[in-house]
Amino acid sequence: MISFENDYSAGAHPRIIQRLTETNMEPLSGYGTDVYCQNARRKIREATECPEAIVEFLVGGTQTNAVVIASMLQSYEGVVAAETGHVSVHEAGAIENTGHKVLTLPQHQGKIDAGELKTYLETFFEDGNHEHMVFPGMVYVSWPTEYGTLYSKAELEAIAEVCHAYEMPLYLDGARLGYGLMSPEADMTLPDIARICDVFYIGGTKVGALCGEAVVFPKGNAPKHFMTRIKQQGALLAKGRLLGIQFDELFTGNLYLNISRNAIEMAEQLKRLLHDKNYTFYLESPTNQQFVIMENEKLEELKKHVAVSFWEKADDTHTVVRLATGWSTTVQDMEELGEWL
Amino acid sequence: MISFENDYSAGAHPRIIQRLTETNMEPLSGYGTDVYCQNARRKIREATECPEAIVEFLVGGTQTNAVVIASMLQSYEGVVAAETGHVSVHEAGAIENTGHKVLTLPQHQGKIDAGELKTYLETFFEDGNHEHMVFPGMVYVSWPTEYGTLYSKAELEAIAEVCHAYEMPLYLDGARLGYGLMSPEADMTLPDIARICDVFYIGGTKVGALCGEAVVFPKGNAPKHFMTRIKQQGALLAKGRLLGIQFDELFTGNLYLNISRNAIEMAEQLKRLLHDKNYTFYLESPTNQQFVIMENEKLEELKKHVAVSFWEKADDTHTVVRLATGWSTTVQDMEELGEWL
Amino acid sequence: MISFENDYSAGAHPRIIQRLTETNMEPLSGYGTDVYCQNARRKIREATECPEAIVEFLVGGTQTNAVVIASMLQSYEGVVAAETGHVSVHEAGAIENTGHKVLTLPQHQGKIDAGELKTYLETFFEDGNHEHMVFPGMVYVSWPTEYGTLYSKAELEAIAEVCHAYEMPLYLDGARLGYGLMSPEADMTLPDIARICDVFYIGGTKVGALCGEAVVFPKGNAPKHFMTRIKQQGALLAKGRLLGIQFDELFTGNLYLNISRNAIEMAEQLKRLLHDKNYTFYLESPTNQQFVIMENEKLEELKKHVAVSFWEKADDTHTVVRLATGWSTTVQDMEELGEWL
Amino acid sequence: MISFENDYSAGAHPRIIQRLTETNMEPLSGYGTDVYCQNARRKIREATECPEAIVEFLVGGTQTNAVVIASMLQSYEGVVAAETGHVSVHEAGAIENTGHKVLTLPQHQGKIDAGELKTYLETFFEDGNHEHMVFPGMVYVSWPTEYGTLYSKAELEAIAEVCHAYEMPLYLDGARLGYGLMSPEADMTLPDIARICDVFYIGGTKVGALCGEAVVFPKGNAPKHFMTRIKQQGALLAKGRLLGIQFDELFTGNLYLNISRNAIEMAEQLKRLLHDKNYTFYLESPTNQQFVIMENEKLEELKKHVAVSFWEKADDTHTVVRLATGWSTTVQDMEELGEWL
């Protein structure tokens, strides 16, 4: 059985496991104050070219979104996101649980549009009743999006420009950031993202770590007492080393980008394979997730050998299926998949 | 200057003021335990034909929505509402402030559709990821809606049937309930509403009271310790008499329906007047709110003499304007309006 | 039956009822934008000698505490209060419901001590683990306290000094402010309180209004978009006139202080009467609430004729009873009480 | 440099690291549905002798407390805890952040007393105003407590009896559960705890895991849709394997108890050593934490060689210091410590 079900079905990159093993018996201080967290922070400041950046490590994506968004909004503000944004749909109301509304904009292959954002904001502030409404307080984008698509640098800069005209921070959810950066379609580097956004996170869980996301405030603009806010939301790890060691290793010798590149190379092979086999694409993305329409019978057969992900019903006899590559996908996985498709 | 701006610009019906005056120096127990609250509860149980009903008095509409919804949902649940529902748009995030998401359905002149509700629920529970999503926990409708439109009895029963198939309560926001009941288009009585819904409120603020909404749990199905929940949300009035006396009077000698009828009669005159003057309707409602499209120049002139409500921009030279009648609108108001239109 | 049960058992001062009657049919704009709210704000700015003050009207005390405290705290902060403070004990967790902890200090006849506050703050910030604790973010006092006692000007200034050394606002709950100001023991005026505190409210519900509390930010230091915060917490009244008219009248011709003085004069008579009858005081307060210890048999007899308030059990045969005077207590009430005691 | 600073300064037990390494490349399903989570659940059901138990894995202690408490309380309820309970003091208000008050009882070496609990509950429900107060909704104890002390079986059963008389669940925080179970003073087994409590957690972070706590509902009494509640609070790990593998290993061949026993044996040596060196105990506990009073000069010297934990100031020249052993403390650590003390 091989798996193209998602990008978090394997454990961690072997180098991470090795470092956890090597450092295991060292006594280290807790709560993110250890030397590995310090090293990881330094390396991320270098990789983002943001010497002033504040970097904190959290455990998972939904947690990170909730902590960051709740920490940066005023109580009367909500977060603007695509109607298909992860925070809008698939976080069980974690944002609303912190008291904030997710204000949705139309999605275009998972992306919001700077023009539509501007129109929304203009209309909001023109409305004589806007003091009875939730104020837009920050903008959330994901890169890659939930559909694997990417904002171009121009698109993201246009969104940032609108945000800053309205004095709202722009937050980028980088759960799969590495896969975006290594996409042939990407025209942004990590320093570009750090320059354009006000806060973002570098996803570990889906890019080679056992767990962990690195939140970056590129201009040192973390909310006051951010550590206490993290603690208050139950997100502070006693053994912060678990996160520090992983990110220290991911940012040593370019590991993060190298393993991301593997996922993209495998995804390119995957797309060729699907085309060769004449599958109809529901969405052909530039990153590690591909969406095709399969006959239900064919799908049932395939699932005996290959784990894939149900996305949605296409019609009574067809299903939209997601196949994801990842840092751990191998050429051999691809060959086996080719046989079963 | 006459006002068609809204239905809460006057004070209270003179009979209410008179009762407040007459009872003013009586020493009464606090927090809704006084005899007037008791009387009002009894009269509402009679008027709704629900001898088991639990009735509590709250101060305003947004407060009532927040208290009722937060008290009836589990933490992982949200409330389903039309995308134009008052809770969705115009309550400054009061629902999200209690930790719950407002899950929106398309609106059709302010109403949701039972079929679309059913499809949404079916799809939700079929989705393999629904445990990562906010569960629909109750359905919110307003009657009349924010656009002054009305669900027919058949429409509301169809929605209730879907709700109950999914074991969700149906909640009806009756901020303008009287204006609905007295509409020539209405095919429901107060007992009908009490029979079909699981909880609803009888609006006072917009129907002749200084303030106050009466929440009704027709089957005695109030959440446990509802009074403490009210207190916890800052919604318990020390001088509960202020609410009890008003509702006692409103439900004496049919006052509530009689003054509602006046608003509807005036609205019927208003519609005729607007037709006579050849205004284009944006939405001609069966209740007390009418929406017409006006030339901006004409509107500026009119506003010197008549208070009306900006609804939204129609185009560069036209505006959608709302005119509302109410319990206090007089024939003389209508005549004056006729002159200025 | 006469009532010394509390200070909110009667309706409103007759002049308020009269003004509500006179203004009743005037069409007024909603949500606190009407001319009576404006007048009341102006008069309160004059009475507090704070030309820059921002004044907003809310409906009740618990609501006011929750809105003010939640609006002024950061998410990682709590409010410091006496262990017997109203926010600590008798608001059904309204503060915690907004996500904030009430941090308690020992009480001395209902008051906190500036020295103990200082020690607490010093210890807190010295503690190496304080980033894992709730930060003290503001200080809450009530004046008069729940026991009817009063801070002297020196005591309140000492507390304010500590607050400001730690950059925390000082908030004064003035549910019974008038009764404090008119106490023979009071050495503070309304302008003194406005000068010493960062935010406070002038209580209406217990001092002659049907409902209503006026929140004052003396230095114009209201939280941003305070109106939206009020709305979000379900505390914004559509007919803001109900509050504006009442406070406009209370601050016309010194009515607020005059009726407060009546309560205090009656309380002085009450104390003499209780002494004459040889009752043992549990707490003899300088304001309108007096606490005496009664034999249970005597109490049962008394309650047939006079409503009083159970405070707590003293021992198996005795009870601590609270008797409260108010703006509406009459000389005749006192005479009748004298007969029954 | 050796460390007696706390029980989470080392990584994980080597067998855990080994299992993480061995299983690392297996593709596994996410969110706690993998085979290792299943195995760990089964083994915990066996170890607790609760075949009906529902077992879920969370990441850390504060998170676990917040998720469990918020999931089990009604909105108008709070959790009863010792004034020194971890939830009361050292979780940055994580409980209040979920909207619930922590209701405190006096502590006796970190423990609450069943009699005092009963008196508190009796008094609460007798109080005529209790509907204006936070209802006690569950009881929180920790075992061992924050001071390393232990409830005896009789003490815990007495507390449980009071809880159940008031229909409140009893929740036991077992962050250091293993160290309690292996204490010579303990008269309870894991099945005893599972029988007496309504919910508890088996701490991993401080007992040999990298992270992780296993929540156990012994009677299958988990709140409805508990997984969604976990997700909503940002506490659901995508790679649930990280927790499952660790607990699977901890509950294989008695590892959890064996490594806990080591901590206790080392603690017994530690106590002898401290006595031999004539240190004054602030609190001599039966588990892995010992508290002694040291001269500040001596402490400064010691800290050059041994990491210990500041607990609190004793007086101007003395400090209360905590020394903790753990699963990883070695005989060699003890010998070195002996030299420096």
Side-chain angles (χ1 to χ4, degrees):
Chain A
M1 184 82 168
I2 52 171
S3 177
F4 286 82
E5 194 178 359
N6 56 50
D7 37 21
Y8 49 86
S9 62
H13 189 275
R15 271 178 50 192
I16 285 177
I17 295 291
Q18 191 185 335
R19 283 298 279 158
L20 288 173
T21 307
E22 290 166 2
T23 59
N24 188 50
M25 295 311 291
E26 295 175 12
L28 295 174
S29 59
Y31 303 111
T33 61
D34 64 275
V35 64
Y36 298 101
C37 285
Q38 310 281 27
N39 286 347
R41 288 188 186 102
R42 181 174 45 74
K43 290 175 183 175
I44 288 173
R45 282 194 287 262
E46 284 166 10
T48 56
E49 298 178 6
C50 292
E52 308 296 324
I54 291 173
V55 181
E56 295 296 343
F57 304 106
L58 293 168
V59 177
T62 294
Q63 180 184 83
T64 301
N65 287 334
V67 169
V68 168
I69 289 169
S71 296
M72 297 191 76
L73 291 181
Q74 295 294 313
S75 65
Y76 54 85
E77 294 176 335
V79 58
V80 181
E83 60 195 336
T84 50
H86 205 258
V87 292
S88 311
V89 185
H90 285 109
E91 301 191 348
I95 304 305
E96 290 82 2
N97 190 45
T98 69
H100 298 283
K101 191 180 186 78
V102 180
L103 300 156
T104 53
L105 288 182
Q107 60 94 12
H108 309 281
Q109 295 202 325
K111 299 192 282 182
I112 60 169
D113 175 78
E116 288 175 353
L117 173 63
K118 188 161 178 245
T119 301
Y120 159 67
L121 292 169
E122 282 171 357
T123 308
F124 177 85
F125 285 104
E126 272 169 15
D127 188 329
N129 279 327
H130 75 269
E131 295 227 325
H132 291 212
M133 296 164 76
V134 175
F135 279 63
M138 74 191 296
V139 170
Y140 165 96
V141 295
S142 46
W143 195 86
T145 68
E146 285 66 29
Y147 288 94
T149 52
L150 292 173
Y151 292 90
S152 69
K153 194 199 284 192
E155 286 172 335
L156 195 65
E157 283 178 333
I159 290 169
E161 197 181 336
V162 177
C163 287
H164 298 153
Y166 285 89
E167 297 186 352
M168 297 191 310
L170 172 59
Y171 170 43
L172 184 144
D173 174 336
R176 296 182 169 100
L177 192 69
Y179 303 147
L181 292 168
M182 288 298 101
S183 164
E185 202 184 88
D187 63 354
M188 284 193 285
T189 62
L190 190 49
D192 287 331
I193 284 170
R195 181 178 48 77
I196 299 170
C197 297
D198 299 287
V199 52
F200 65 99
Y201 79 85
I202 302 171
T205 301
K206 290 171 178 164
V207 192
L210 276 171
C211 63
E213 326 295 328
V215 180
V216 183
F217 296 94
K219 289 112 194 164
N221 54 323
K224 214 172 153 188
H225 295 300
F226 191 56
M227 182 180 162
T228 302
R229 297 178 195 256
I230 293 172
K231 176 75 180 173
Q232 186 188 31
Q233 295 196 48
L236 189 63
L237 216 51
K239 294 185 181 169
R241 67 194 294 154
L242 172 58
L243 303 173
I245 289 163
Q246 293 187 89
F247 275 96
D248 186 16
E249 192 61 25
L250 284 170
F251 280 81
T252 298
N254 237 13
L255 182 62
Y256 188 73
L257 294 183
N258 289 343
I259 65 177
S260 296
R261 184 181 299 116
N262 176 72
I264 295 302
E265 287 171 357
M266 293 300 109
E268 295 296 311
Q269 282 194 30
L270 174 62
K271 287 192 277 186
R272 281 195 297 274
L273 188 60
L274 291 164
H275 279 297
D276 289 352
K277 303 281 183 180
N278 288 315
Y279 281 91
T280 306
F281 275 79
Y282 173 76
L283 197 153
E284 184 175 356
S285 97
T287 59
N288 72 315
Q289 303 180 78
Q290 307 305 328
F291 303 81
V292 291
I293 297 167
M294 281 196 189
E295 277 180 34
N296 292 348
E297 280 184 30
K298 174 70 193 167
L299 176 58
E300 285 314 302
E301 184 58 32
L302 182 69
K303 281 163 68 177
K304 292 174 189 161
H305 312 288
V306 183
V308 297
S309 198
F310 170 88
W311 197 252
E312 62 186 53
K313 199 169 140 175
D315 60 36
D316 281 353
T317 56
H318 293 79
T319 298
V320 179
V321 173
R322 183 186 73 175
L323 292 97
T325 63
W327 62 271
S328 63
T329 309
T330 62
V331 174
Q332 192 183 335
D333 292 335
M334 297 308 308
E335 284 168 4
E336 270 196 54
L337 176 66
E339 286 169 33
W340 299 117
L341 275 175
Chain B
M1 185 84 170
I2 52 172
S3 177
F4 287 81
E5 195 178 358
N6 56 50
D7 37 21
Y8 48 87
S9 63
H13 189 275
R15 272 179 49 191
I16 286 178
I17 295 291
Q18 191 185 335
R19 285 298 279 158
L20 288 173
T21 307
E22 290 166 1
T23 59
N24 188 51
M25 296 312 290
E26 296 174 11
L28 295 174
S29 60
Y31 303 111
T33 61
D34 64 274
V35 65
Y36 297 101
C37 285
Q38 309 282 27
N39 286 346
R41 286 187 187 105
R42 180 174 45 74
K43 290 176 184 175
I44 288 172
R45 282 193 287 262
E46 285 166 11
T48 56
E49 298 177 7
C50 293
E52 308 296 324
I54 292 173
V55 181
E56 296 296 344
F57 304 106
L58 294 168
V59 177
T62 295
Q63 180 184 85
T64 301
N65 288 334
V67 169
V68 169
I69 290 170
S71 296
M72 297 190 75
L73 291 182
Q74 294 294 311
S75 65
Y76 53 86
E77 294 176 334
V79 58
V80 180
E83 60 195 337
T84 50
H86 206 257
V87 293
S88 311
V89 185
H90 284 110
E91 301 191 348
I95 304 305
E96 290 82 2
N97 190 46
T98 69
H100 298 284
K101 192 181 187 75
V102 180
L103 300 156
T104 53
L105 288 182
Q107 60 94 11
H108 308 282
Q109 295 202 324
K111 298 192 282 181
I112 61 169
D113 176 78
E116 288 175 352
L117 173 63
K118 187 158 178 248
T119 301
Y120 158 67
L121 292 169
E122 282 171 357
T123 308
F124 177 84
F125 286 105
E126 272 169 15
D127 188 328
N129 279 327
H130 76 268
E131 295 227 324
H132 290 212
M133 296 165 76
V134 175
F135 280 63
M138 73 192 295
V139 170
Y140 165 98
V141 294
S142 45
W143 195 86
T145 68
E146 286 67 29
Y147 289 93
T149 52
L150 293 172
Y151 293 90
S152 69
K153 194 199 284 191
E155 285 172 335
L156 195 65
E157 284 179 332
I159 290 169
E161 195 181 337
V162 177
C163 287
H164 299 153
Y166 285 89
E167 298 187 353
M168 297 191 311
L170 172 58
Y171 170 42
L172 184 144
D173 175 337
R176 298 183 168 100
L177 192 68
Y179 303 145
L181 291 169
M182 289 297 101
S183 165
E185 202 183 89
D187 62 355
M188 284 193 285
T189 61
L190 190 48
D192 286 333
I193 283 170
R195 181 179 48 77
I196 299 169
C197 298
D198 300 287
V199 53
F200 66 99
Y201 79 85
I202 302 170
T205 301
K206 290 170 177 164
V207 192
L210 277 170
C211 62
E213 326 294 329
V215 179
V216 183
F217 295 94
K219 290 111 193 164
N221 55 323
K224 214 174 154 187
H225 295 300
F226 191 56
M227 182 181 162
T228 303
R229 297 177 194 257
I230 292 171
K231 176 75 180 172
Q232 186 187 31
Q233 295 196 48
L236 189 64
L237 216 51
K239 294 184 181 169
R241 67 194 293 152
L242 172 58
L243 303 173
I245 291 164
Q246 293 187 88
F247 274 96
D248 186 16
E249 192 62 26
L250 283 169
F251 280 81
T252 298
N254 237 12
L255 183 63
Y256 188 73
L257 294 183
N258 288 344
I259 65 177
S260 296
R261 183 181 300 115
N262 177 73
I264 295 301
E265 287 171 358
M266 294 299 109
E268 295 296 310
Q269 282 193 31
L270 174 62
K271 287 193 276 186
R272 280 196 297 275
L273 188 60
L274 291 164
H275 278 298
D276 289 352
K277 303 281 184 181
N278 289 314
Y279 281 91
T280 305
F281 275 80
Y282 173 76
L283 197 153
E284 183 175 356
S285 97
T287 58
N288 71 315
Q289 304 181 77
Q290 308 304 328
F291 303 82
V292 291
I293 296 167
M294 281 196 190
E295 276 180 35
N296 291 349
E297 281 183 28
K298 173 71 193 166
L299 176 58
E300 286 313 303
E301 183 57 30
L302 181 69
K303 282 163 68 176
K304 291 174 188 160
H305 312 288
V306 182
V308 297
S309 198
F310 170 88
W311 197 254
E312 62 185 55
K313 199 170 141 175
D315 61 36
D316 282 353
T317 56
H318 293 79
T319 298
V320 179
V321 172
R322 183 186 72 175
L323 293 97
T325 63
W327 61 272
S328 62
T329 308
T330 63
V331 174
Q332 191 183 335
D333 291 336
M334 298 307 309
E335 284 167 4
E336 271 196 52
L337 177 66
E339 286 169 32
W340 299 118
L341 275 174
Chain C
M1 184 81 171
I2 51 173
S3 177
F4 287 81
E5 194 177 359
N6 56 49
D7 36 21
Y8 49 86
S9 63
H13 190 275
R15 271 179 50 192
I16 285 178
I17 294 290
Q18 192 185 335
R19 285 297 280 156
L20 288 172
T21 307
E22 289 167 2
T23 59
N24 188 50
M25 295 312 291
E26 295 175 12
L28 294 174
S29 59
Y31 302 110
T33 61
D34 64 275
V35 64
Y36 297 101
C37 284
Q38 310 282 24
N39 286 346
R41 286 187 188 105
R42 181 173 44 74
K43 290 174 184 176
I44 288 172
R45 281 192 289 262
E46 284 165 12
T48 56
E49 298 178 6
C50 293
E52 308 295 325
I54 291 173
V55 181
E56 295 295 344
F57 303 106
L58 294 169
V59 177
T62 295
Q63 180 184 85
T64 301
N65 287 335
V67 169
V68 168
I69 290 170
S71 296
M72 296 190 77
L73 291 181
Q74 295 294 312
S75 65
Y76 53 86
E77 293 176 335
V79 58
V80 180
E83 60 194 338
T84 50
H86 206 257
V87 293
S88 310
V89 186
H90 285 111
E91 301 192 347
I95 304 304
E96 291 82 2
N97 190 45
T98 70
H100 298 284
K101 192 181 187 76
V102 180
L103 300 156
T104 53
L105 288 182
Q107 60 94 12
H108 309 281
Q109 295 201 324
K111 299 191 282 181
I112 59 169
D113 175 77
E116 288 175 353
L117 173 63
K118 188 160 178 247
T119 301
Y120 159 66
L121 293 169
E122 282 170 359
T123 307
F124 177 84
F125 285 105
E126 272 168 16
D127 187 328
N129 280 327
H130 74 268
E131 296 227 323
H132 290 212
M133 296 164 78
V134 176
F135 280 63
M138 73 192 297
V139 170
Y140 165 98
V141 295
S142 45
W143 196 86
T145 68
E146 286 67 29
Y147 288 93
T149 52
L150 292 173
Y151 293 90
S152 68
K153 196 200 281 191
E155 286 172 336
L156 196 64
E157 284 178 333
I159 290 169
E161 196 181 337
V162 177
C163 287
H164 298 153
Y166 285 89
E167 298 187 351
M168 296 191 311
L170 173 58
Y171 169 44
L172 184 144
D173 175 336
R176 297 182 169 99
L177 193 69
Y179 303 147
L181 291 169
M182 288 299 100
S183 165
E185 202 183 87
D187 62 354
M188 285 194 284
T189 62
L190 191 49
D192 287 332
I193 283 170
R195 180 179 49 76
I196 298 169
C197 297
D198 300 288
V199 52
F200 65 99
Y201 80 85
I202 302 170
T205 301
K206 289 168 179 166
V207 191
L210 277 170
C211 63
E213 325 294 329
V215 180
V216 183
F217 295 94
K219 290 110 192 166
N221 54 323
K224 215 174 154 186
H225 294 300
F226 191 55
M227 182 180 162
T228 302
R229 297 177 195 256
I230 293 171
K231 175 75 180 174
Q232 187 188 30
Q233 294 196 50
L236 189 63
L237 216 51
K239 293 184 181 170
R241 67 194 293 153
L242 172 58
L243 304 173
I245 290 163
Q246 293 187 91
F247 275 95
D248 186 16
E249 192 61 24
L250 284 170
F251 280 82
T252 298
N254 238 13
L255 182 63
Y256 188 73
L257 295 184
N258 289 343
I259 65 177
S260 296
R261 183 181 299 115
N262 177 74
I264 295 301
E265 287 171 357
M266 295 299 108
E268 295 296 312
Q269 283 194 29
L270 174 62
K271 286 193 276 186
R272 281 195 297 275
L273 187 60
L274 292 164
H275 278 297
D276 290 351
K277 305 280 184 182
N278 288 315
Y279 280 91
T280 306
F281 276 79
Y282 173 76
L283 198 152
E284 183 175 355
S285 97
T287 59
N288 70 315
Q289 304 182 77
Q290 306 305 328
F291 304 81
V292 292
I293 296 168
M294 282 197 188
E295 277 180 33
N296 292 348
E297 280 183 28
K298 172 73 194 164
L299 177 58
E300 285 313 302
E301 183 57 32
L302 181 69
K303 280 163 69 175
K304 291 175 187 161
H305 311 289
V306 183
V308 297
S309 198
F310 169 89
W311 197 253
E312 62 187 53
K313 199 171 143 175
D315 61 35
D316 281 354
T317 56
H318 293 78
T319 297
V320 179
V321 172
R322 184 187 71 175
L323 292 97
T325 63
W327 62 271
S328 63
T329 308
T330 62
V331 173
Q332 191 184 335
D333 291 336
M334 297 308 308
E335 286 168 1
E336 271 196 54
L337 177 65
E339 288 168 33
W340 300 118
L341 275 176
Chain D
M1 186 82 170
I2 51 171
S3 176
F4 287 81
E5 193 177 359
N6 55 50
D7 37 20
Y8 49 86
S9 63
H13 189 275
R15 271 178 50 191
I16 285 177
I17 295 290
Q18 191 185 335
R19 285 297 280 158
L20 288 172
T21 307
E22 289 166 2
T23 59
N24 188 50
M25 296 310 292
E26 295 175 12
L28 294 174
S29 59
Y31 303 110
T33 61
D34 64 274
V35 65
Y36 297 101
C37 285
Q38 309 281 28
N39 286 347
R41 287 187 187 105
R42 181 174 44 75
K43 290 175 184 175
I44 288 172
R45 281 192 287 262
E46 285 165 12
T48 56
E49 299 178 6
C50 292
E52 309 295 325
I54 291 173
V55 181
E56 296 295 344
F57 304 105
L58 293 169
V59 177
T62 295
Q63 180 183 85
T64 301
N65 287 335
V67 169
V68 168
I69 290 169
S71 297
M72 296 190 77
L73 291 181
Q74 294 295 312
S75 64
Y76 54 86
E77 294 176 334
V79 59
V80 180
E83 60 195 337
T84 50
H86 205 256
V87 292
S88 310
V89 186
H90 285 111
E91 301 192 347
I95 304 305
E96 290 82 3
N97 191 44
T98 69
H100 298 284
K101 191 181 187 75
V102 181
L103 300 156
T104 54
L105 288 182
Q107 60 93 13
H108 309 281
Q109 294 201 325
K111 298 192 282 181
I112 60 169
D113 175 77
E116 289 175 352
L117 174 63
K118 187 158 177 249
T119 301
Y120 158 67
L121 292 169
E122 282 171 358
T123 308
F124 177 85
F125 285 105
E126 272 168 17
D127 187 328
N129 280 327
H130 75 268
E131 295 228 324
H132 290 211
M133 296 164 77
V134 176
F135 279 64
M138 73 192 296
V139 170
Y140 165 97
V141 295
S142 46
W143 197 85
T145 68
E146 286 67 28
Y147 288 93
T149 52
L150 292 174
Y151 293 90
S152 69
K153 195 199 282 192
E155 286 172 336
L156 196 65
E157 284 177 334
I159 291 169
E161 196 181 335
V162 177
C163 287
H164 298 153
Y166 286 89
E167 298 186 351
M168 297 190 311
L170 172 58
Y171 169 44
L172 183 143
D173 175 337
R176 296 181 169 100
L177 192 69
Y179 303 146
L181 291 169
M182 288 298 101
S183 165
E185 202 184 88
D187 62 353
M188 284 193 285
T189 62
L190 191 49
D192 286 332
I193 283 170
R195 180 178 49 76
I196 299 169
C197 298
D198 300 287
V199 52
F200 65 99
Y201 80 84
I202 302 171
T205 302
K206 289 169 178 165
V207 192
L210 277 170
C211 63
E213 326 294 330
V215 180
V216 183
F217 296 94
K219 290 110 193 165
N221 54 324
K224 214 173 155 188
H225 295 300
F226 191 56
M227 182 180 162
T228 302
R229 296 178 195 256
I230 293 172
K231 176 75 180 174
Q232 187 188 30
Q233 295 196 49
L236 189 63
L237 216 51
K239 293 184 181 170
R241 66 194 296 154
L242 172 58
L243 303 173
I245 290 164
Q246 293 187 89
F247 275 95
D248 186 16
E249 192 61 24
L250 284 169
F251 280 82
T252 298
N254 238 13
L255 182 62
Y256 188 73
L257 295 183
N258 289 343
I259 64 178
S260 296
R261 183 182 299 115
N262 177 72
I264 295 302
E265 287 170 358
M266 295 299 108
E268 296 296 312
Q269 283 193 31
L270 174 62
K271 287 192 276 187
R272 281 195 297 275
L273 188 60
L274 291 164
H275 279 297
D276 289 352
K277 303 280 185 181
N278 289 316
Y279 281 91
T280 306
F281 275 78
Y282 172 77
L283 198 153
E284 184 175 354
S285 97
T287 58
N288 70 315
Q289 305 180 76
Q290 306 305 329
F291 303 81
V292 291
I293 296 167
M294 282 196 188
E295 278 180 33
N296 292 348
E297 279 183 30
K298 173 71 196 167
L299 176 58
E300 285 314 301
E301 184 57 32
L302 182 69
K303 281 163 68 176
K304 291 175 189 161
H305 312 288
V306 183
V308 297
S309 198
F310 169 89
W311 197 252
E312 63 187 52
K313 199 170 141 174
D315 61 35
D316 282 353
T317 56
H318 293 79
T319 297
V320 179
V321 172
R322 183 187 72 176
L323 292 96
T325 63
W327 62 271
S328 63
T329 309
T330 62
V331 175
Q332 191 184 335
D333 292 334
M334 298 308 307
E335 285 168 3
E336 270 195 55
L337 177 65
E339 287 168 33
W340 300 117
L341 275 175

